[in-house]
Amino acid sequence: MIIAVDGPSGSGKSSTARGVASRLGLRFLDTGATYRAVTWSAIEHGLDLDDKAAVAQRARELRLELSTDPVNQFVIADGTDVTTAIREPRISEVVSKIATNLDVRKELIRRQRAVIDDAQSSGGIVVEGRDIATVVATDAELKVLLTADQEARMARRGAELAAGSVTAEELRDQIVRRDADDSTVSEFQVASDGAVTIDSTYLSLEEVVDVISRLAKETATVPHDR
């Protein structure tokens, strides 16, 4: 089974998707990490992030290894463990330049689909991102749009970061500005056909995982034509 979890920044996609994957014994793919890894690599190579052709070439050349184990996540780019580095504010501030590069998206979507196809042999995968249900895995058996109000999303993102590592304005930029930028190339504010919308504003992580896990089990009992 493929479970697609889409939504805006700070809606809890990653934590929720990991929780569901762990609960159901499925693999897990954080597609945002692929864009962050390319961002890290482009910066390390001294590229102008506005040079779309050069950045797209870097994306194609990047040797990228992603863990799909929900309890042991890591990202390795060109032999370097960047699991922590790609979450730094300097990456968050500019990752939208990479995510809105259409040639980069084409390359990373190809890689993401390869991971998803490989996971089918081990029972399935929970994939989270911006355009999973609409572009990356349109045949997902369960599609979820996870939302939350802006204040809740900012609070969650702030809790993920080290105390004092970003200002309130930088935090707002990560949430509001990134959503605005990314919405130019992917539609993640409105549920796709067949998707279930879950507003997590007043729900705990465990409650959201419970809801999606229940939906997944219900979906698994219904025959699907692939």
Side-chain angles (χ1 to χ4, degrees):
M1 137 172 277
I2 301 171
I3 301 175
V5 181
D6 292 305
S9 299
S11 58
K13 300 187 302 295
S14 293
S15 297
T16 296
R18 280 198 306 272
V20 172
S22 296
R23 178 85 59 88
L24 301 180
L26 302 177
R27 310 308 290 176
F28 164 71
L29 175 61
D30 172 4
T31 62
T34 65
Y35 291 98
R36 287 174 173 273
V38 172
T39 305
W40 176 88
S41 181
I43 291 173
E44 287 296 301
H45 281 76
L47 300 182
D48 177 354
L49 300 189
D50 291 318
D51 185 340
K52 294 185 180 298
V55 173
Q57 184 61 28
R58 178 89 295 271
R60 288 187 286 269
E61 293 174 351
L62 178 64
R63 290 182 290 112
L64 183 62
E65 181 182 352
L66 290 172
S67 167
T68 57
D69 181 344
V71 299
N72 181 30
Q73 283 287 291
F74 60 81
V75 181
I76 298 175
D78 285 334
T80 300
D81 187 330
V82 296
T83 308
T84 300
I86 63 173
R87 304 297 173 183
E88 294 174 355
R90 70 186 182 104
I91 302 297
S92 298
E93 289 167 3
V94 296
V95 67
S96 285
K97 287 181 179 287
I98 307 303
T100 54
N101 183 322
L102 297 182
D103 286 334
V104 170
R105 295 188 73 83
K106 181 178 179 180
E107 168 62 17
L108 293 185
I109 288 170
R110 180 191 68 77
R111 295 189 188 216
Q112 292 158 14
R113 285 174 172 163
V115 173
I116 294 169
D117 288 345
D118 182 65
Q120 293 304 288
S121 62
S122 60
I125 190 168
V126 184
V127 188
E128 67 95 346
R130 301 287 210 188
D131 55 1
I132 310 307
T134 55
V135 177
V136 179
T138 56
D139 58 348
E141 287 86 353
L142 175 60
K143 302 174 181 179
V144 175
L145 176 65
L146 188 60
T147 66
D149 68 30
Q150 183 175 300
E151 294 307 312
R153 292 189 288 119
M154 288 181 60
R156 289 171 184 170
R157 179 55 54 82
E160 292 174 356
L161 303 172
S165 62
V166 295
T167 65
E169 189 56 38
E170 289 170 334
L171 184 60
R172 183 174 295 276
D173 177 76
Q174 286 192 27
I175 298 294
V176 180
R177 193 267 308 158
R178 275 193 57 204
D179 280 351
D181 287 350
D182 291 355
S183 67
T184 64
V185 292
S186 63
E187 180 52 75
F188 54 87
Q189 305 282 14
V190 179
S192 60
D193 289 344
V196 177
T197 299
I198 300 174
D199 186 336
S200 66
T201 303
Y202 302 108
L203 297 176
S204 68
L205 172 61
E206 191 68 16
E207 288 172 327
V208 179
V209 170
D210 285 344
V211 171
I212 297 177
S213 297
R214 175 177 55 78
L215 291 172
K217 291 174 181 177
E218 292 172 356
T219 301
T221 65
V222 179
H224 289 267
D225 294 325
R226 304 288 287 185

